[in-house]
Amino acid sequence: MKKITSVLMVLLIVSVASVKTYAQISVGISVNIAPPVLPTYTQPPCPVDGYLWTPGYWAYDQDGGYYWVPGVWVSPPAAGYLWTPGYWGYDGAVYVYHEGYWGHHIGFYGGVNYGYGYVGTGYVGGRWAGNSFQYNTAVVNVNNAVVHNTYVNKTVINNNVTVNNNSFNGPGGVTAKPQPQERAAEKENHIQPTADQITHRQVAVKDQSQFAKNNNGHPTTAAMNKVNGNRFTPEGNRAQPSSRANAGDGQAHNANAAPSADNSANSHAPARRANIAAVNNGGARPSGQHFNRAPRRQASAPREERPHRERR
């Protein structure tokens, strides 16, 4: 009887240990080759009030190698949650991917500057005000026809910091270390990527044009306005889904199609990759970003907006 009890206890301990909790960093696949540099791309306008931007990143497939998962606007799992992006980190032998997660505060994401508010530490693209999300239009692009909760905070912009495209943490990449508030955020209870985010990554891996070995680090689809929504090239034009991709878009999109509310002729406020002063959970850390004026509105489409181009 004692032997059976001991066996059951061991099985229980093993089963508990095997369950990953998001109160800790979730470590994924490891690779012996560094990911490509981050491509520069245009952010499409936010299509739905309340959606949050999740930046594009290089994922890895055992058969095809690195492939680009487009940046995309997604619905958060609940009000008050923010997205901490995943990142690649060098551990002295291989490059290990640390999965992103949802939480009430932004944790450490390797110091990688993904742009559009994710400047390497914290998030400066918006904030929660009760159950409503307010967008900082000095940093992110929104469609004013559908998004009304906005503000402008230009103090996060600094023109004196060099921009880089480093895509990983470690020698040859970013050398940032977790700050105390980021370590504290990592210990909080987290929510794993949503079903939409998982679907989004699965769609990308089925598209051969997204693989670095085929595009030399310049993916055909750099961003999307929403999961299974409109695709955009790095320049912000509508992209034609690859015939080799099981994209599930429902219809092909012509890059020369007439502008819509998600891809129109105007931009509200340009946002750039790095060079924004990082604000993490109420605190500010100096960084920098070039800021350009938004283009003049066209009379033919006074309320529409188009994706804006990131400058380095």
Side-chain angles (χ1 to χ4, degrees), residues 151-175:
Y151 66 100
V152 177
N153 181 7
K154 296 181 181 180
T155 64
V156 300
I157 299 167
N158 185 324
N159 295 324
N160 299 318
V161 176
T162 301
V163 184
N164 64 65
N165 298 15
N166 292 329
S167 61
F168 64 93
N169 181 284
V174 181
T175 58

Side-chain angles (χ1 to χ4, degrees), residues 188-200:
E188 298 175 349
N189 291 323
H190 302 145
I191 296 177
Q192 62 185 324
T194 64
D196 275 351
Q197 289 174 287
I198 294 172
T199 296
H200 185 61

Side-chain angles (χ1 to χ4, degrees), residues 104-289:
H104 290 293
H105 300 93
I106 301 291
F108 182 64
Y109 52 94
V112 177
N113 190 333
Y114 288 106
Y116 300 116
Y118 298 97
V119 296
T121 181
Y123 179 63
V124 297
R127 64 197 179 195
W128 284 100
N131 292 328
S132 299
F133 190 78
Q134 299 177 338
Y135 301 82
N136 181 8
T137 56
V139 178
V140 299
N141 189 18
V142 301
N143 183 345
N144 280 337
V146 296
V147 174
H148 306 290
N149 298 316
T150 64
Y151 66 100
V152 177
N153 181 7
K154 296 181 181 180
T155 64
V156 300
I157 299 167
N158 185 324
N159 295 324
N160 299 318
V161 176
T162 301
V163 184
N164 64 65
N165 298 15
N166 292 329
S167 61
F168 64 93
N169 181 284
V174 181
T175 58
K177 302 296 182 182
Q179 299 298 313
Q181 64 269 31
E182 293 171 326
R183 290 189 182 278
E186 289 173 356
K187 297 178 182 179
E188 298 175 349
N189 291 323
H190 302 145
I191 296 177
Q192 62 185 324
T194 64
D196 275 351
Q197 289 174 287
I198 294 172
T199 296
H200 185 61
R201 180 158 56 190
Q202 292 171 341
V203 169
V205 75
K206 294 177 182 178
D207 187 345
Q208 291 299 311
S209 68
Q210 294 299 102
F211 281 82
K213 67 178 183 180
N214 297 327
N215 60 40
N216 295 318
H218 302 284
T220 301
T221 300
M224 296 178 67
N225 66 332
K226 58 185 177 181
V227 176
N228 288 332
N230 296 331
R231 294 163 170 260
F232 294 92
T233 66
E235 295 74 28
N237 300 318
R238 290 278 285 273
Q240 182 81 20
S242 170
S243 60
R244 293 172 292 181
N246 182 16
D249 282 354
Q251 62 180 357
H253 300 297
N254 189 328
N256 296 319
S260 65
D262 295 325
N263 180 36
S264 58
N266 297 294
S267 175
H268 177 74
R272 308 289 181 263
R273 187 175 298 288
N275 299 343
I276 306 175
V279 176
N280 189 4
N281 305 325
R285 186 175 290 105
S287 184
Q289 179 183 35

Side-chain angles (χ1 to χ4, degrees), residues 16-40:
V16 170
S18 65
V19 177
K20 283 184 177 293
T21 65
Y22 276 77
Q24 299 176 343
I25 295 178
S26 176
V27 178
I29 195 168
S30 60
V31 188
N32 59 6
I33 302 175
V37 298
L38 297 173
T40 300

Side-chain angles (χ1 to χ4, degrees), residues 41-76:
Y41 64 91
T42 294
Q43 182 188 53
C46 180
V48 179
D49 197 359
Y51 273 28
L52 271 63
W53 179 251
T54 58
Y57 62 96
W58 290 108
Y60 191 85
D61 176 69
Q62 292 286 2
D63 296 324
Y66 285 105
Y67 63 96
W68 181 252
V69 180
V72 65
W73 292 97
V74 300
S75 175

